Amino acid sequence: MSRKKALVLSGGGARGSYQAGVWRYLEEIGWKPDIICGTSVGAINASAIGSGIPGKELTELWLDLDREKVMLYSWKNAIKELFRKKYAPLASTAPLRELILEKLNLDALNRSETKVVLSAVNILTAELKFFENPDIRVEHILASSAIPLFFPWQMIEGEPYWDGGVMANTPILPAVTRGAEELIVVLLSPVGGSVQMKVPKNKDEALERLYELYLLGSYRNIEQGIEFQKEKSKHLSPVETFLLHFRGLIGDTKIHVIAPKELLGLGSFLNFTREQAEVLIEQGYEDAKEYFLKIER
């Protein structure tokens, strides 16, 4: 019996083009997920892949993106908002809504046998909410990618939702609880990947590192929890170990992590340009290829 596979896509704004490169390689080697979990830009990519968009088409979509196709933003309006007490987001995501409806086949997504799970945060209850097919609407995708302060929250069933990255930027938990035993986690930060970072030398580097750690936080929490359960099981009797497995508290969960090898800079977060997309798509493809060639040896 084959192991249930999951693709977990982190948030990270315009860095999401990296995930398109990874997916193109996974598609080439015939790796097909049973579950796709995504947060923020990862939710957009997850929905695209779940709707049946091929890797080549997904990379072309990213190459064709620019800021005007994602958001309406005005420095003049942003400055005005600084002097107002009433909350208002810095940008409108009306263009992103149109893009999703034009490029993604939501009917195909909701008919898909591949389970797609998107995360968002209920602003009123502080609850992390998971939305999944066959009931995904454009509002769910926009809610998961509604970056606080930058983008407007989304109303779902009368309640406001923000970006799932606020609480689970790397949504591993819904994959594990749905029985996934092999996970490919695509991070959009090198912190926690294969490269050892250096100590920040100034305030700018410290701020950048803080942002990278924010992107990584939920991944580290789940990863350490799984390792703790595995270590704990080594000291149990055979009967206790069997009961834990039976209850689903531990398992032989394999996590593959693919991540950029160097810091991308804070500016990459909202840099929706063809130039950056070309670089990150190629990096994602090559990093995935290198990773799988290495574990096959």
Side-chain angles (χ1 to χ4, degrees):
M1 185 176 177
S2 61
R3 293 161 63 89
K4 185 177 286 189
K5 300 175 182 178
L7 178 63
V8 179
L9 303 176
S10 292
R15 298 179 183 184
S17 52
Y18 180 88
Q19 295 171 345
V22 172
W23 174 243
R24 195 180 75 190
Y25 179 76
L26 294 178
E27 195 177 58
E28 284 184 10
I29 64 173
W31 192 91
K32 185 177 180 181
D34 302 289
I35 307 165
I36 309 174
C37 302
T39 289
S40 199
V41 72
I44 297 174
N45 282 331
S47 298
I49 296 168
S51 71
I53 290 181
K56 186 174 184 298
E57 187 175 331
L58 182 59
T59 58
E60 289 174 352
L61 191 157
W62 271 100
L63 291 172
D64 191 46
L65 274 187
D66 55 41
R67 195 176 69 181
E68 287 70 28
K69 293 181 180 179
V70 177
M71 58 184 174
L72 292 174
Y73 180 80
S74 167
W75 279 107
K76 185 181 295 185
N77 290 339
I79 293 172
K80 286 181 181 179
E81 293 302 333
L82 290 176
F83 299 97
R84 295 179 181 176
K85 292 185 178 181
K86 186 177 179 181
Y87 170 79
L90 296 178
S92 165
T93 50
L96 180 58
R97 171 185 284 270
E98 293 180 11
L99 182 72
I100 290 171
L101 291 174
E102 178 187 352
K103 299 294 185 179
L104 273 59
N105 187 334
L106 297 186
D107 288 337
L109 170 63
N110 285 314
R111 291 196 307 267
S112 176
E113 294 182 359
T114 301
K115 177 59 66 177
V116 176
V117 185
L118 315 179
S119 63
V121 173
N122 186 310
I123 299 173
L124 303 182
T125 65
E127 177 187 8
L128 181 63
K129 182 79 172 181
F130 298 110
F131 303 106
E132 56 189 82
N133 54 348
D135 300 309
I136 293 176
R137 305 192 306 274
V138 65
E139 289 79 15
H140 298 130
I141 302 173
L142 290 171
S144 184
S145 53
I147 305 168
L149 303 182
F150 282 97
F151 298 154
W153 57 62
Q154 294 294 308
M155 299 300 295
I156 298 175
E157 296 181 359
E159 297 191 323
Y161 284 83
W162 254 341
D163 194 317
V166 172
M167 297 181 73
N169 195 57
T170 306
I172 294 177
L173 185 61
V176 174
T177 57
R178 285 163 177 77
E181 297 175 292
E182 179 182 357
L183 285 71
I184 292 182
V185 179
V186 187
L187 304 177
L188 295 178
S189 168
V191 182
S194 59
V195 179
Q196 181 71 34
M197 296 292 103
K198 297 180 181 179
V199 174
K201 297 178 180 179
N202 51 53
K203 290 182 179 179
D204 289 343
E205 289 186 3
L207 181 61
E208 180 181 358
R209 188 65 53 83
L210 180 63
Y211 172 67
E212 305 294 346
L213 291 172
Y214 155 73
L215 293 182
L216 189 72
S218 61
Y219 161 69
R220 276 301 192 213
N221 286 337
I222 294 295
E223 179 195 44
Q224 291 174 0
I226 291 173
E227 291 306 314
F228 171 77
Q229 291 289 1
K230 287 182 178 179
E231 185 64 27
K232 183 179 178 181
S233 69
K234 294 178 182 178
H235 308 289
L236 300 177
S237 69
V239 173
E240 289 173 320
T241 300
F242 171 77
L243 289 174
L244 277 176
H245 275 285
F246 180 76
R247 291 167 60 191
L249 295 178
I250 63 172
D252 185 21
T253 305
K254 175 64 177 176
I255 300 179
H256 307 280
V257 180
I258 300 173
K261 295 180 178 179
E262 59 186 32
L263 291 168
L264 303 176
L266 282 174
S268 64
F269 180 57
L270 292 175
N271 184 17
F272 291 97
T273 63
R274 186 181 184 91
E275 290 74 20
Q276 174 170 287
E278 286 178 341
V279 171
L280 293 184
I281 288 169
E282 186 63 22
Q283 282 185 13
Y285 181 91
E286 292 299 329
D287 287 349
K289 181 178 180 180
E290 179 182 325
Y291 179 87
F292 280 96
L293 288 176
K294 185 182 297 183
I295 65 175
E296 287 173 0
R297 291 173 187 166

